[in-house]
Amino acid sequence: IDFGRWNTMRSEPALEHLVRSSLPGLDALIVNQQLARGVHTETMIRTLNGMARDHPGVTFVTDARTMSTSFTGMICKLNAAEASRLARQAGEAGERPGALRSHARTIGARCGKPVFVTRGAEGILVFDGTGYSDIPAVVLRGPIDPVGAGDATVAAIAASLAAGGTLEEAGEMGNLAGGVTVGKIKETGTMTPEEIVTLGFRYDRA
């Protein structure tokens, strides 16, 4: 739906109906915001927040480029640069030692759910509301192309959590999914279950 940089939302009721009617059949819903102007109007954001509150059986995960602070009651996935920017907006200091953990805690307090911070070659930092887990990245050799890696990572995290996986297992799946996609050069990387299993088996044996 989010095609073009200057879209404006013209049919909020129709989109709300579509999402709401789909919820009973969903295990997870990913809210992905990349454009400053698109489907995520103030009304739609309030609607999604209400859905997350009213459907605790559905795993809601948000991956928002500029609107992370607008969503509540959803697991938050973001990259290290986005986490630092949000923390600065909240008045936190810059890049002091341990700053990223503090940033994750601040974001977790705001969204009320666990936080996944992707850190490229340093893997994923997970904050569960009380403590942290460092999920090591998959070590890759050769050229890489990051296009599509973020989407693949959040998809794997959401699918893993919806299937009953732990936060750590979801982080591991996210790393593997991202690892598959960055190895696909000059294309928007995607992944299949078979590719994830293959990379995971190879990584475990490395």
Side-chain angles (χ1 to χ4, degrees):
I1 298 175
D2 255 343
F3 287 104
R5 296 181 61 192
W6 310 114
N7 282 353
T8 56
M9 186 65 182
R10 295 185 178 180
S11 185
E12 287 172 344
L15 179 59
E16 177 184 344
H17 174 73
L18 176 63
V19 177
R20 197 178 295 280
S21 62
S22 299
L23 279 176
L26 297 182
D27 296 309
L29 177 69
I30 299 171
V31 177
N32 188 304
Q33 178 265 323
Q34 296 191 19
L35 301 179
R37 296 176 62 181
V39 302
H40 297 100
T41 63
E42 291 183 6
T43 300
M44 195 65 207
I45 290 170
R46 285 196 299 270
T47 297
L48 290 168
N49 288 341
M51 291 179 182
R53 181 188 63 244
D54 297 337
H55 295 81
V58 178
T59 299
F60 280 76
V61 183
T62 179
D63 185 4
R65 182 169 294 177
T66 61
M67 299 180 180
S68 291
T69 58
S70 299
F71 297 100
T72 59
M74 305 182 193
I75 294 166
C76 185
K77 175 266 176 188
L78 68 172
N79 64 37
E82 292 164 346
S84 296
R85 176 181 59 81
L86 291 177
R88 286 195 299 272
Q89 290 177 356
E92 285 196 26
E95 301 309 313
R96 65 189 187 284
L100 195 57
R101 292 191 171 212
S102 177
H103 298 346
R105 180 178 291 274
T106 298
I107 295 163
R110 180 178 292 160
C111 70
K113 289 287 184 176
V115 177
F116 291 79
V117 182
T118 58
R119 304 171 296 177
E122 296 181 14
I124 295 176
L125 173 68
V126 181
F127 177 65
D128 65 5
T130 56
Y132 304 89
S133 299
D134 286 290
I135 313 297
V138 176
V139 179
L140 301 171
R141 294 176 176 81
I144 61 172
D145 183 344
V147 177
D151 291 338
T153 298
V154 72
I157 287 172
S160 181
L161 292 174
T166 65
L167 295 174
E168 290 77 13
E169 289 168 339
E172 291 170 358
M173 287 293 293
N175 273 335
L176 288 170
V180 169
T181 62
V182 299
K184 299 183 177 181
I185 310 302
K186 295 184 179 180
E187 64 178 282
T188 300
T190 59
M191 75 293 187
T192 65
E194 293 76 17
E195 289 173 323
I196 291 175
V197 170
T198 298
L199 179 59
F201 183 82
R202 189 171 76 237
Y203 183 63
D204 286 342
R205 298 298 184 273

